[in-house]
Amino acid sequence: MSKDNKVVRPFGLRDKVGYMFGDFGNDFTFMLSSIFMLKFYTDVMGISAGVVGVLMMAARFVDAFTDVTMGQIVDRSKPTKDGKFKPWIRRMAGPVAISSFMVFQGGFANMSYTFKVVWMTVTYLLWGSVFYTSINIPFGSMASAISADAKDRASLSTWRSVGGTLAALIIGVGAPLFAYETVNGNTVLSGSRMTIIAAVLGLLAVGCYLLCFNLVTERVEVPQNNTKFNFGDLMKSLFSNRSLIGIILASILLLLAMLGMSGMSSYVFPNYYGSPAAQSVAALGGTVATIVICAPLSTKLADKFGKKELSIGSCLFGAAVYLICLIAKPANPFVYVAIYTVAYVSLGFFNMIIWAMITDVIDDSEVKNGIREDGTIYSVYSFARKIGQALSSGMIGGFLTLIGYTSATAFDPEVVNGIFNISCIIPIVGLVAVAAALAFIYPLNKKRVEENVIELKKRRGEI
């Protein structure tokens, strides 16, 4: 294979590991914000939880503009000797790390309330809506340029998911061990320690981004989009894109099911089962099982049956497992842990290959429209996922309110029974809805994906 008259090495393990490090770097700052942002600004900085929550919700609306804008910038940028997408990763690695570090400045805890709110708003928007977006959009779009082969893209999706899972495990398990200190007999979050953690994770993120840049090779030349920009035509194109609508809907529903499961585990284990230890085992079991089972098998199964077909089957199996749980109501918390783990593995197959399905959507759009819009399509999808993440918190809170959950009623028999039922109903309904969205809306089955790949190779003169 040649590119600019130079021999390009074939796709291999180096690309997979490099792409894994890219999401490793992404999630070092993303998971830090997801896990500690609210608690840091309420407990350390003394800002109302309502104010922090409003900011985090408002930021998602800002993302609606910055995500799509970055997608257009990427699509309209000229390819360089390093490719079209890789340069953004090297360019923005430093700003992402620095802005994440600035969010967690415990030294400002004694400043005025107004100053702290302004500081929180500016730094959080700079990190999430500007710099994180400017690296995440090209990183996600880059998969289609690394290889044109559907099997290769599925493996990239798997390795990316492994990187994100490992980062979540490191931060979720490791950071709390250092972040808290005992003051007057109480365990509290330390502002100074959080600042140190943010600095260390920022440096690790930069290292991961640079590894991604140096290990990954862009093989598929993605030309610059020189068409005249028309916002109306763009929106019409996106909203008439059935494959994009289908994967967005399925992704949002998956997030609601997955985050609903993990969110309700904080209630079902301590309140219904009286076993907080089982919650830790469930979290660890789900993560380890996903890496051990889904990571090595997802690409092979997707190649054999098709990504759409695998996702539908695995989600329906997960829903069936939770339906059995709802009916049986196991008394032993570790039986519930086993059910949680099996269901998490089931949805894990879809979660592992979903990034490859985005590249299938990008290919399908190019076949139909004759224009390659990796950045734009990925940015719309990225924004939709953020909406799903925001909705999940409101969903759990709404259900808990519906069953009458308060600090005073947390252990009442009717309430704890309601908690158990909700912990099962959310994944049952969510996973069935995911399967339905893929089956009836998302059109890219195995045959059509393969036809699109062949068609694009013909257009590029590779066949």
Side-chain angles (χ1 to χ4, degrees):
M1 185 183 294
S2 65
K3 184 179 178 182
D4 297 329
N5 299 320
K6 293 182 180 180
V7 176
V8 179
R9 63 177 177 78
F11 177 86
L13 181 61
R14 178 173 169 173
D15 296 282
K16 299 173 188 177
V17 173
Y19 206 62
M20 178 194 74
F21 273 115
D23 212 42
F24 219 158
N26 264 348
D27 278 354
F28 271 134
T29 62
F30 180 80
M31 294 305 300
L32 178 67
S33 174
S34 298
I35 295 173
F36 288 105
M37 168 82 175
L38 179 61
K39 191 164 185 65
F40 175 80
Y41 273 96
T42 54
D43 292 15
V44 175
M45 305 298 277
I47 296 177
S48 162
V51 173
V52 184
V54 167
L55 168 64
M56 297 177 80
M57 286 291 292
R60 303 292 77 81
F61 292 97
V62 176
D63 291 346
F65 298 97
T66 59
D67 281 8
V68 177
T69 298
M70 190 63 206
Q72 280 288 305
I73 291 172
V74 170
D75 283 339
R76 295 174 183 277
S77 62
K78 293 181 180 180
T80 70
K81 63 181 181 63
D82 295 314
K84 184 172 182 177
F85 306 102
K86 280 175 58 176
W88 291 100
I89 295 175
R90 184 170 61 180
R91 249 175 238 150
M92 295 299 168
V96 169
I98 292 170
S99 57
S100 175
F101 169 69
M102 297 306 288
V103 170
F104 294 93
Q105 292 301 301
F108 291 150
N110 294 322
M111 298 294 286
S112 70
Y113 193 87
T114 300
F115 175 89
K116 290 184 288 188
V117 170
V118 171
W119 179 268
M120 173 184 69
T121 303
V122 172
T123 56
Y124 183 70
L125 290 176
L126 278 177
W127 166 74
S129 299
V130 180
F131 295 126
Y132 181 81
T133 289
S134 68
I135 203 168
N136 184 50
I137 299 302
F139 168 73
S141 307
M142 184 171 63
S144 58
I146 297 173
S147 174
D149 186 85
K151 185 177 179 181
D152 294 343
R153 292 175 176 181
S155 66
L156 285 174
S157 179
T158 296
W159 282 78
R160 171 180 180 165
S161 297
V162 169
T165 301
L166 289 174
L169 186 63
I170 290 170
I171 297 172
V173 175
L177 299 177
F178 180 73
Y180 292 91
E181 59 184 349
T182 302
V183 178
N184 299 326
N186 297 318
T187 303
V188 298
L189 190 69
S190 167
S192 59
R193 292 186 182 186
M194 281 303 305
T195 303
I196 295 171
I197 289 172
V200 171
L201 293 180
L203 291 172
L204 289 173
V206 171
C208 288
Y209 285 136
L210 294 180
L211 282 170
C212 177
F213 177 85
N214 286 291
L215 292 175
V216 168
T217 297
E218 291 187 29
R219 292 169 185 79
V220 181
E221 187 172 348
V222 181
Q224 180 182 15
N225 182 356
N226 290 314
T227 59
K228 184 178 180 181
F229 177 71
N230 184 300
F231 182 78
D233 289 344
L234 174 63
M235 290 297 103
K236 182 179 178 181
S237 173
L238 293 175
F239 284 107
S240 63
N241 189 333
R242 184 179 167 189
S243 56
L244 178 60
I245 293 171
I247 198 65
I248 283 176
L249 181 58
S251 178
I252 290 175
L253 291 168
L254 174 72
L255 282 168
L256 292 176
M258 185 169 63
L259 297 177
M261 283 172 59
S262 58
M264 286 306 299
S265 69
S266 298
Y267 297 91
V268 71
F269 287 113
N271 295 69
Y272 184 81
Y273 285 111
S275 178
Q279 181 182 349
S280 299
V281 175
L284 183 62
T287 301
V288 172
T290 299
I291 294 174
V292 172
I293 298 173
C294 297
L297 292 179
S298 58
T299 301
K300 296 177 182 178
L301 292 174
D303 184 50
K304 182 176 182 179
F305 299 107
K307 293 185 279 290
K308 170 181 175 176
E309 294 82 354
L310 171 62
S311 300
I312 291 173
S314 62
C315 286
L316 288 177
F317 179 78
V321 169
Y322 258 109
L323 179 60
I324 293 172
C325 181
L326 179 63
I327 296 171
K329 273 198 171 181
N332 189 311
F334 291 97
V335 174
Y336 188 96
V337 168
I339 291 170
Y340 179 96
T341 303
V342 171
Y344 209 82
V345 168
S346 297
L347 63 85
F349 281 110
F350 180 34
N351 208 30
M352 281 282 172
I353 61 175
I354 194 168
W355 306 109
M357 295 173 79
I358 295 302
T359 61
D360 293 341
V361 172
I362 293 169
D363 283 352
D364 188 61
S365 179
E366 184 181 5
V367 168
K368 288 181 177 178
N369 304 324
I371 301 173
R372 190 80 184 177
E373 295 180 308
D374 302 70
T376 301
I377 290 175
Y378 182 82
S379 66
V380 172
Y381 171 73
S382 174
F383 170 67
R385 281 181 65 90
K386 293 176 182 177
I387 294 297
Q389 292 162 358
L391 288 175
S392 67
S393 298
M395 175 187 69
I396 294 172
F399 276 125
L400 290 173
T401 301
L402 189 64
I403 62 172
Y405 180 91
T406 65
S407 58
T409 65
F411 294 94
D412 289 355
E414 318 87 62
V415 172
V416 296
N417 280 325
I419 288 172
F420 177 87
N421 292 338
I422 291 171
S423 75
C424 296
I425 291 171
I426 287 176
I428 291 170
V429 175
L431 293 175
V432 169
V434 170
L438 291 173
F440 299 111
I441 301 177
Y442 183 73
L444 303 185
N445 56 25
K446 187 175 188 290
K447 180 182 177 182
R448 182 160 164 182
V449 168
E450 292 171 348
E451 290 173 348
N452 284 344
V453 170
I454 292 172
E455 173 62 25
L456 291 177
K457 283 185 176 181
K458 287 180 180 178
R459 293 185 188 184
R460 290 192 293 262
E462 296 174 10
I463 298 178

